[in-house]
Amino acid sequence: MPKITLAEAVKLKSVLSKRIHELEEEMDRLAFFEIEKDSPLPTQKRQFQDAEKDIDEIRKDFRLLDKLVYRANIDNEIQFNGDSLSIVEAIELATQLRAKARKCKQFGSAQKEEFLYMIGESSSMLRVAAFEPEEYRIKSLENERHANRLSNLINSKNYTIELEFDQDKYF
């Protein structure tokens, strides 16, 4: 059977998903006619059942491709910071690192001390950070760098893994 790389499979899933949506819209267009009473139905080159048949075939291929991608993401590993991670773990870690970087960036852009309002004539309320904003700015950059490095490792690995799938119908 022909083979496809995991990277190509991920792209193909997106293509198939888009095609499914297009076929659903086509089914909606082909499903009903507006005609005058007792008039014959107009003839069309493509019938409602044709679109339905096509969408069923693509959904079947999508399910197979989905299964192959999930299996590959579990069965294959990458090395990152001295750890061996399955691709699915690496994807989740990259997502978590990006979330951590966003939060650290938020804290990194905070002021160490901020005036809020006056209390009476001689006292004021302040908002004081319980952390060093500059440290969190640096943590944000480090986490973002790690997430990018991990994403690159995942992408590189995805081009080395081959799955048995015939992509000729779609590419």
Side-chain angles (χ1 to χ4, degrees):
M1 175 177 253
K3 296 193 183 255
I4 183 174
T5 66
L6 180 55
E8 292 168 326
V10 170
K11 289 177 191 170
L12 182 54
K13 279 182 59 176
S14 176
V15 168
L16 294 182
S17 181
K18 181 180 177 190
R19 183 69 182 131
I20 287 168
H21 291 295
E22 290 169 354
L23 286 166
E24 288 172 341
E25 289 174 1
E26 182 182 8
M27 287 179 73
D28 290 341
R29 284 190 309 275
L30 296 171
F32 301 96
F33 298 103
E34 290 186 14
I35 60 169
E36 191 174 330
K37 186 175 181 177
D38 298 327
S39 296
L41 291 178
T43 58
Q44 296 175 309
K45 285 186 176 186
R46 191 150 155 87
Q47 302 296 315
F48 177 79
Q49 291 77 11
D50 296 330
E52 184 178 28
K53 180 180 176 248
D54 288 351
I55 202 169
D56 287 343
E57 288 177 19
I58 292 172
R59 282 180 172 154
K60 181 179 178 186
D61 284 345
F62 188 92
R63 288 190 310 271
L64 172 60
L65 198 56
D66 211 27
K67 178 177 80 171
L68 294 172
V69 167
Y70 279 119
R71 183 174 294 138
N73 282 340
I74 291 170
D75 293 345
N76 291 279
E77 296 185 344
I78 61 169
Q79 299 300 314
F80 181 71
N81 286 349
D83 291 328
S84 184
L85 303 170
S86 67
I87 294 174
V88 73
E89 289 176 297
I91 291 169
E92 180 58 30
L93 178 56
T95 301
Q96 291 174 0
L97 287 169
R98 289 190 197 293
K100 188 174 181 179
R102 276 191 305 276
K103 199 63 178 171
C104 287
K105 189 178 285 187
Q106 177 187 351
F107 290 131
S109 65
Q111 294 179 17
K112 180 65 179 166
E113 188 174 288
E114 181 180 2
F115 171 79
L116 294 176
Y117 53 87
M118 292 295 294
I119 302 176
E121 293 180 22
S122 62
S123 188
S124 58
M125 289 296 292
L126 300 177
R127 179 177 183 233
V128 180
F131 58 91
E132 287 300 322
E134 179 61 14
E135 289 176 15
Y136 276 83
R137 186 189 69 79
I138 292 168
K139 282 183 180 183
S140 170
L141 295 173
E142 289 172 0
N143 282 296
E144 211 166 58
R145 185 176 54 83
H146 287 303
N148 291 337
R149 195 172 109 238
L150 184 53
S151 290
N152 287 340
L153 289 171
I154 293 166
N155 289 337
S156 294
K157 184 69 173 185
N158 285 351
Y159 280 100
T160 66
I161 300 166
E162 290 191 330
L163 310 174
E164 289 190 11
F165 185 85
D166 186 5
Q167 65 179 339
D168 291 341
K169 288 194 293 189
Y170 306 106
F171 287 138

